[in-house]
Amino acid sequence: MSVKNQDHIIVGKLGATYGIKGWLKVFSYTEQSESIFSYTPWMIKIKGEWTEIHVESWKRHGQGLVAKLEGMDIREDAQVFTNAEVAVLADQLPALSDEEFYWRELFGMSVVTTEGYDLGKVTDILETGSNDVLVVKANLKDAFGQKERLIPFLDEQVIKLIDRTAQRIEVDWDPEF
């Protein structure tokens, strides 16, 4: 089944084939690696088209995961999917409370200081060992000559408010940084 114009969220990637019966290695991007199997169906892009795929079976193998996709019974059939990204539709993700959000929701939001200075828009999020960091692309005519700002994602300390409706993040941050 081909699906168009829906919000696809990449949750993992398929690796090399495993064995001769159509199994593939699975690299999960979910917080708990096995959680990737709780999403069904998977969407995989084949020749530019998103295609629905179902997992027939999966298991742990050493430190990793392997899966057998429905209809893939021999190694040669499964090889077509090597290195394919695994996506799910956005509406398959668990619903969150008003205080929770997915990182992807922050991309494109305006970042404003508590004093009202517009710092720019979120373009990326860096995961560091101690805390995550918002990458904010500054406005073209930034008064402080900044092109990009790195703002630590420290809830309450730096991040004061995330407003989904206004697409705005309020921060306690010096615009000179």
Side-chain angles (χ1 to χ4, degrees):
M1 175 186 165
S2 180
V3 179
K4 294 181 181 179
N5 300 328
Q6 292 198 28
D7 197 6
H8 293 85
I9 310 300
I10 305 299
V11 293
K13 184 177 180 177
L14 295 173
T17 55
Y18 167 75
I20 60 170
K21 295 188 178 184
W23 288 72
L24 289 156
K25 293 180 182 175
V26 177
F27 301 97
S28 175
Y29 303 156
T30 58
E31 195 168 351
Q32 273 101 34
S33 58
E34 293 94 352
S35 295
I36 193 170
F37 299 110
S38 63
Y39 300 111
T40 186
W42 284 357
M43 304 303 295
I44 296 180
K45 198 177 263 189
I46 301 171
K47 296 180 184 170
E49 293 281 321
W50 287 105
T51 303
E52 191 174 290
I53 299 291
H54 293 271
V55 176
E56 185 177 302
S57 187
W58 70 273
K59 62 183 176 183
R60 281 210 149 278
H61 177 70
Q63 297 286 357
L65 300 167
V66 292
K68 180 164 181 339
L69 306 179
E70 263 182 21
M72 302 295 129
D73 296 320
I74 59 172
R75 181 184 190 102
E76 290 73 24
D77 290 344
Q79 281 178 325
V80 175
F81 296 105
T82 298
N83 293 324
E85 289 184 317
V86 175
V88 296
L89 299 177
D91 61 10
Q92 289 176 265
L93 298 175
L96 301 177
S97 73
D98 289 340
E99 293 82 39
E100 298 175 307
F101 49 87
Y102 289 107
W103 280 143
R104 67 183 182 85
E105 294 179 81
L106 302 180
F107 290 94
M109 281 192 180
S110 296
V111 180
V112 182
T113 67
T114 51
E115 288 79 36
Y117 186 81
D118 186 355
L119 298 172
K121 294 196 182 299
V122 177
T123 58
D124 201 359
I125 298 172
L126 304 175
E127 293 184 42
T128 67
S130 55
N131 58 270
D132 297 322
V133 176
L134 294 178
V135 178
V136 179
K137 182 177 180 185
N139 299 310
L140 288 176
K141 296 182 180 183
D142 186 79
F144 298 95
Q146 300 289 331
K147 291 188 183 344
E148 183 178 83
R149 290 181 173 86
L150 301 177
I151 301 174
F153 195 92
L154 298 170
D155 203 23
E156 295 180 19
Q157 186 179 347
V158 175
I159 307 298
K160 297 299 183 181
L161 174 73
I162 297 175
D163 186 337
R164 281 187 176 102
T165 307
Q167 287 290 290
R168 187 171 158 256
I169 301 171
E170 189 176 300
V171 296
D172 184 3
W173 195 251
D174 186 339
E176 289 188 55
F177 291 126

